[in-house]
Amino acid sequence: MKDRAALILAAGQGTRMKSQLPKVLHKVGGRAMLDWSIDLARKAGCERIITVVSAGSDRLQAHVTDVLGEDAFVIQDPPLGTGHAVMAAEDALQGFEGDLIVLYGDCPLIPEEAVSALFEELDRGADLGVLGFEAADPGAYGRLVEDGAGNLQRIVEAKEASPEELAITLCNSGVMAGSSKKMFALLSKVTNDNAKGEYYLTDLVSIARDEGSSCRAVRCDEEDVLGVNSRVELAEAEAVFQRKRRQALMHSGVTLIAPETVFFTFDTEIEEDVLIEPNVVFGPGVKVHSGATIRAFSHLEGAVVHSGAEIGPYARLRPGAEIGEQARIGNFVEVKNTAVGQGAKANHLAYLGDGAIGAGANIGAGTIFCNYDGFLKYKTVVGANAFVGSNSALVAPVSIGEGAYVGSGSVITQDVSPDALAIGRGRQTEKAGWADDFRTKKQAEKSSGK
Ligand code: UD1
Ligand code: CA
């Protein structure tokens, strides 16, 4: 295989987003749009990935450096069109002999197969490959003009198109690939003599054809190349992502009772025979093992749920929650940075933060792990088979021994020995007849008008 490099165009201003955040850092499926393009480039085997950004885009530049390292962006200043954007990377790609693919930073849903198909077209001898799609409403997209033999002849922008060309429904996604050297050689011939006064990348096709080079279009679905320019389109892209992910999970053996009400992120991992009830949200970093049940209205992020466990309804698993096999986390229970052992139960109304709960332990309703003193966080350990009575506050750092009992309503500030009973609350006293005396006295006061 030839070496591959990717150029991700992201120097547009994204003004229609009306946002302080650079457009390509807005998220789809819990991941920045730019990171989707970077991931796609990596999956396609691109060793070098360069992002084209505008001047002054400090936040974007910092993000690119974080994700791809130093020297991973070039600045296009001022932005004078898509062809000009690619030219901005010419120095950075000096000496690169392989194939180059141009992607956009605002087009997050392109499947890996579409890009592989484009590279395969190059391997079969095409000099340039363009990813196209049949548009329901071609509107402002560039049109792909093919000859009878399926060769791409040129790309015409909507503003320059004749009525016949405007009637073409095969449109340009913007993704283009070819030999890097060849693309830069062709780019040197591109002018800005057009309706927008820009250097169009799309002009490479007709220039290549004039030189006798061959160009081919590869087709994908319109929703695969949905570009995001506004928050409305961002929500549309999100909807496409969610629908595809739900379908893929169902095909892989996950039951979704009401798929349209369950939300996933790019990295959600769910094994076979997991049942997910309606209205569940998965944030980033969740893995659910086979046979677990996630009941309605639960929210999970950064959590692992082991086989056969049951979560919810109305449970919240936060980062670092690890729920053991057959364990049970019930309604209004919040778990953060806590491992819950096999078969352990916290069925109602609890906060379990920065702890470890042994196998078979039972955490009563209203239990709070008091993990934070306003400055630092401390750990609560509950041993295997321990029983924590309802409405107990375990003030960390503290440890409850294996098999111990904690009496309901306790405030536990000291470690409890294995198999002991700890009670930390005021002792109950009883005053016989007190209530009757009280009522008699008060009634007398009221009647005498005092
Ligand atoms: C471009 C294509 C059009 C295609 C459409 C698909 C050209 C001339 N036209 O049109 O055929 O159907 O995309 O969405 O290529 N960018 C830069 N620097 C620039 C200009 C653009 O980095 O100077 C980036 C933008 O951030 C964006 C991408 O390139 O990510 C596309 O730019 P945009 O202006 O949206 O192109 P279109 O006019 O939509
Ligand atoms: Ca666009």
Side-chain angles (χ1 to χ4, degrees), residues 9-12 52 76 79-82 85 104-106 140-142 155 157 172-174 196 200-202 229:
L9 307 193
V52 181
Q76 182 198 14
L80 299 175
T82 49
Y104 291 172
D106 59 3
Y141 287 118
I155 304 177
E157 290 304 291
N172 176 26
S173 69
K196 283 179 153 181
Y200 291 168
L201 181 63
T202 46
N229 299 297

Side-chain angles (χ1 to χ4, degrees), residues 159-371:
K159 284 198 168 153
E160 270 96 18
S162 66
E164 296 77 51
E165 287 167 335
L166 280 176
I168 296 173
T169 51
L170 181 62
C171 290
N172 176 26
S173 69
V175 178
M176 185 185 281
S179 123
S180 180
K181 285 209 143 162
K182 177 136 207 155
M183 285 174 80
F184 285 110
L186 294 169
L187 270 168
S188 66
K189 298 178 184 162
V190 170
T191 69
N192 63 352
D193 181 17
N194 53 48
K196 283 179 153 181
E198 287 186 356
Y199 296 88
Y200 291 168
L201 181 63
T202 46
D203 283 354
L204 290 201
V205 173
S206 54
I207 297 170
R209 292 282 291 175
D210 289 346
E211 293 185 348
S213 297
S214 77
C215 306
R216 304 283 296 190
V218 166
R219 286 153 172 79
C220 67
D221 290 340
E222 178 161 18
E223 67 179 15
D224 292 341
V225 289
L226 200 120
V228 171
N229 299 297
S230 67
R231 307 236 189 194
V232 171
E233 288 170 352
L234 186 68
E236 284 168 9
E238 183 72 36
V240 171
F241 166 80
Q242 294 296 346
R243 180 164 46 75
K244 289 191 166 182
R245 190 50 63 103
R246 290 165 190 147
Q247 281 172 3
L249 284 167
M250 289 188 282
H251 283 303
S252 74
V254 176
T255 298
L256 301 179
I257 294 173
E260 64 286 358
T261 68
V262 179
F263 295 84
F264 299 101
T265 54
F266 71 100
D267 63 352
T268 311
E269 283 181 74
I270 305 198
E271 292 184 351
E272 258 176 47
D273 285 323
V274 169
L275 167 68
I276 302 174
E277 291 187 354
N279 296 297
V280 172
V281 175
F282 292 89
V286 176
K287 169 141 197 181
V288 182
H289 290 268
S290 60
T293 299
I294 313 296
R295 302 200 56 200
F297 296 100
S298 293
H299 189 285
L300 300 84
E301 60 185 317
V304 179
V305 177
H306 288 281
S307 293
E310 191 174 320
I311 308 300
Y314 297 99
R316 180 166 184 209
L317 302 187
R318 291 174 52 205
E322 178 154 5
I323 312 304
E325 290 182 17
Q326 312 293 331
R328 175 84 181 77
I329 300 297
N331 41 267
F332 305 106
V333 174
E334 175 179 344
V335 184
K336 185 212 78 172
N337 192 28
T338 293
V340 176
Q342 183 171 357
K345 290 180 190 151
N347 273 327
H348 344 259
L349 301 164
Y351 173 61
L352 312 174
D354 300 309
I357 297 170
N362 193 313
I363 308 292
T367 297
I368 306 291
F369 287 7
C370 307
N371 61 327

